[in-house]
Amino acid sequence: MGSESGGRSYSLTEIFAIKFVLADIVIIAVLLLAGPWFALAITLLFVVTSFLIWYLVERSEADDTRSDDDTVDESETERDPVTRLQERYAAGDLSDEEFETKLDRLIDSNEQAEAAGIDTEELELERSR
């Protein structure tokens, strides 16, 4: 968390330390000038804003993690179709019959491409029949 103009980046701990030092000063001033009820209200306000800052930082980190997961999903498209099919089967997205059917279709399409003289990467699985 830092300024957008290239300033110093503060850690979450530093932000809370600065916030609580400033809060102590304000609370003492309000206690001396306005009374205990106003000081209590200011204290509650600082506590609520502290939790709000913590929540927003945690949410931001979760969004960063989620965007990293999206990057992994993009690399999934670079994998060969058989590997993706195996992963779907292992995850339980496909039944045994669906897996076998799709695998046979992939092997058939690879054999047809080879017969037509189209250069494809070899499927590393062979028919077990």
Side-chain angles (χ1 to χ4, degrees), residues 3 31 34 39 54 61-62 68 70 78 80 83-84 93 97 111 113 115:
S3 69
L31 184 59
W54 171 80
E61 290 174 356
D68 291 344
D70 293 343
E78 295 174 4
D80 67 293
T83 303
R84 284 184 281 164
D93 295 340
E97 295 81 26
E111 289 173 353

Side-chain angles (χ1 to χ4, degrees), residues 55-94:
Y55 171 75
L56 293 174
V57 167
E58 291 296 318
R59 188 170 137 196
S60 174
E61 290 174 356
D63 289 344
D64 291 344
T65 304
R66 198 172 308 126
S67 68
D68 291 344
D69 292 343
D70 293 343
T71 305
V72 171
D73 290 343
E74 289 172 6
S75 67
E76 182 178 315
T77 59
E78 295 174 4
R79 292 188 215 137
D80 67 293
V82 174
T83 303
R84 284 184 281 164
L85 186 63
Q86 289 171 330
E87 289 172 353
R88 288 182 57 201
Y89 177 69
D93 295 340
L94 300 173

Side-chain angles (χ1 to χ4, degrees), residues 3-16:
S3 69
E4 298 291 325
S5 63
R8 185 181 187 288
S9 178
Y10 295 100
S11 72
L12 186 60
T13 306
E14 291 171 324
I15 291 171
F16 280 114

Side-chain angles (χ1 to χ4, degrees), residues 1-128:
M1 298 192 77
S3 69
E4 298 291 325
S5 63
R8 185 181 187 288
S9 178
Y10 295 100
S11 72
L12 186 60
T13 306
E14 291 171 324
I15 291 171
F16 280 114
I18 292 168
K19 182 175 180 52
F20 282 112
V21 167
L22 293 174
D24 288 343
I25 294 169
V26 170
I27 291 169
I28 291 170
V30 169
L31 184 59
L32 292 174
L33 300 175
W37 290 108
F38 287 107
L40 182 63
I42 297 290
T43 303
L44 289 174
L45 181 66
F46 280 117
V47 169
V48 168
T49 57
S50 297
F51 281 114
L52 181 63
I53 290 172
W54 171 80
Y55 171 75
L56 293 174
V57 167
E58 291 296 318
R59 188 170 137 196
S60 174
E61 290 174 356
D63 289 344
D64 291 344
T65 304
R66 198 172 308 126
S67 68
D68 291 344
D69 292 343
D70 293 343
T71 305
V72 171
D73 290 343
E74 289 172 6
S75 67
E76 182 178 315
T77 59
E78 295 174 4
R79 292 188 215 137
D80 67 293
V82 174
T83 303
R84 284 184 281 164
L85 186 63
Q86 289 171 330
E87 289 172 353
R88 288 182 57 201
Y89 177 69
D93 295 340
L94 300 173
S95 68
D96 292 341
E97 295 81 26
E98 290 172 323
F99 176 74
E100 297 271 336
T101 303
K102 291 180 184 291
L103 183 60
D104 284 341
R105 193 176 312 144
L106 283 172
I107 292 172
D108 286 342
S109 64
N110 190 50
E111 289 173 353
Q112 290 174 358
E114 285 178 7
I118 299 173
D119 187 26
T120 62
E121 292 184 25
E122 295 285 328
L123 293 177
E124 296 192 15
L125 296 177
E126 298 178 5
R127 289 185 199 274
S128 59

